[in-house]
Amino acid sequence: MPDLWMPGAEIHDLGDHAPTDQQYPPKAIAHITWDRNATATAPQDWCTFDDLVNYFTTSGAGSAPHLIWDPFSGRVAQLFPADSRSKSVVDSPGGTRTNRAGRVVIQIEAVFFPYCRKDGVVYPRLVDTPCAGWDRLHAWISSWGVPDTWPMGHPTDFTSHRNEQVWETQGGWYAHAHVPENDHTDPGSWPDFTAPTSAPVPSEDDMPLTDADVDRVAQRVVYLLAQASAGQPPNGADDNLTWLINWYHQCSQSSMGAVLDYKLGAAGVASLAQKIDAAPAAVAQALASGITLTVNTNPKGA
């Protein structure tokens, strides 16, 4: 089962969990917080991530999403687990249950409004920001089976396109402007699924995997698969390793780099490296057994 809480997210569990409607396909809903009304001739200062976290965990809890995403720093706060509904779209009595119509309905609020000004730079659209952390956020949502498609079209402006039949029957990504029973027109833009992202220099604990790190992880996976094929339980396999084996079978090669990156991080890679270094003979024997593994050695999948 994928992680209920996004690895690396700042957890602010609101409680009040409630199930989604499992008969519908999995979805994600893209929002922007749109805190202020700015224009090209009158930009306004960006509202901070911490301000929005404070709002959605106090007076704004009644409209809280699963995730609050800072596209400038990459910080993410999570308020509900993936298998619960959240509350960021209007759900009118008697119609489709907009917050629940999917095996998951994961809602993301990007902390952004058009023509916000941060550090002296004005950003007309969300996609004009660094979109830091988008790769990790996207990888986690993909792990819940949300397909990389926009059934009502990739948002490129602030116009509405709503169809309840499409909403109920097709999984994928939806803009708030696409959700039935709602009148909001955000987010106006959203990063591409495969677009590379630029980000601030990460801290040591958040460094992306190097090619050498990925090779070492691959060797460890080969070793564990060799043990499993011989009917031997993996010695000392921790949760990260068990997860990695499962995802080796389930993830496409194009996404493996991002999945390894967001799940393991530098600390996880160091732990794996220690295990590999402690058993070089076993690793060599596993590699010699003929079991092969292809891994995308670009950690960001770019």
Side-chain angles (χ1 to χ4, degrees):
M1 180 180 179
D3 293 299
L4 289 172
W5 300 93
M6 177 180 162
E10 303 169 23
I11 306 304
H12 300 268
D13 188 0
L14 294 180
D16 189 24
H17 304 168
T20 59
D21 296 335
Q22 298 297 298
Q23 69 269 34
Y24 298 112
K27 301 178 178 72
I29 305 175
H31 304 253
I32 58 173
T33 51
W34 211 330
D35 324 280
R36 295 171 179 167
N37 291 317
T39 66
T41 56
Q44 297 193 44
D45 288 340
W46 179 69
C47 295
T48 71
F49 173 83
D50 290 326
D51 285 346
L52 268 296
V53 171
N54 179 66
Y55 168 73
F56 280 121
T57 55
T58 55
S59 61
S63 58
H66 290 84
L67 304 175
I68 305 167
W69 170 40
D70 179 349
F72 295 99
S73 72
R75 290 174 66 189
V76 174
Q78 186 168 354
L79 312 183
F80 294 96
D83 62 352
S84 172
R85 63 89 181 90
S86 60
K87 300 181 176 182
S88 286
V89 293
V90 171
D91 189 357
S92 300
T96 186
R97 300 215 295 174
T98 51
N99 285 304
R100 302 184 187 230
R103 290 190 291 277
V104 292
V105 185
I106 299 174
Q107 303 197 52
I108 310 97
E109 289 273 5
V111 182
F112 181 81
F113 58 87
Y115 300 104
C116 66
R117 181 177 51 225
K118 187 176 191 303
D119 300 326
V121 179
V122 175
Y123 297 88
R125 305 173 303 162
L126 175 64
V127 294
D128 297 324
T129 73
C131 292
W134 163 240
D135 50 355
R136 292 174 180 240
L137 189 155
H138 172 234
W140 178 70
I141 292 175
S142 295
S143 77
W144 281 94
V146 177
D148 286 351
T149 183
W150 295 87
M152 298 299 295
H154 192 161
T156 58
D157 56 27
F158 293 99
T159 58
S160 299
H161 307 278
R162 293 183 166 90
N163 183 307
E164 186 169 331
Q165 194 271 337
V166 171
W167 165 256
E168 290 189 343
T169 60
Q170 296 187 35
W173 284 74
Y174 289 81
H176 194 176
H178 301 159
V179 180
E181 302 177 1
N182 284 251
D183 59 9
H184 285 203
T185 59
D186 59 303
S189 70
W190 200 261
D192 292 335
F193 297 125
T194 57
T197 60
S198 57
V201 176
S203 64
E204 183 176 352
D205 288 340
D206 202 31
M207 288 291 288
L209 299 179
T210 66
D211 289 359
D213 290 332
V214 175
D215 287 342
R216 293 163 80 88
V217 173
Q219 288 181 354
R220 180 61 182 171
V221 173
V222 170
Y223 171 47
L224 292 175
L225 290 174
Q227 285 187 308
S229 68
Q232 302 172 22
N235 293 327
D238 56 25
D239 289 342
N240 278 345
L241 296 175
T242 303
W243 182 94
L244 184 57
I245 291 172
N246 290 337
W247 274 93
Y248 164 65
H249 292 292
Q250 295 178 35
C251 290
S252 67
Q253 290 299 313
S254 62
S255 65
M256 272 302 293
V259 170
L260 291 172
D261 185 5
Y262 91 78
K263 178 61 186 182
L264 294 177
V269 172
S271 175
L272 292 177
Q274 288 178 357
K275 291 182 173 66
I276 293 168
D277 292 340
V283 172
Q285 181 179 2
L287 290 169
S289 69
I291 297 176
T292 59
L293 174 66
T294 301
V295 173
N296 177 2
T297 57
N298 184 331
K300 289 296 183 183

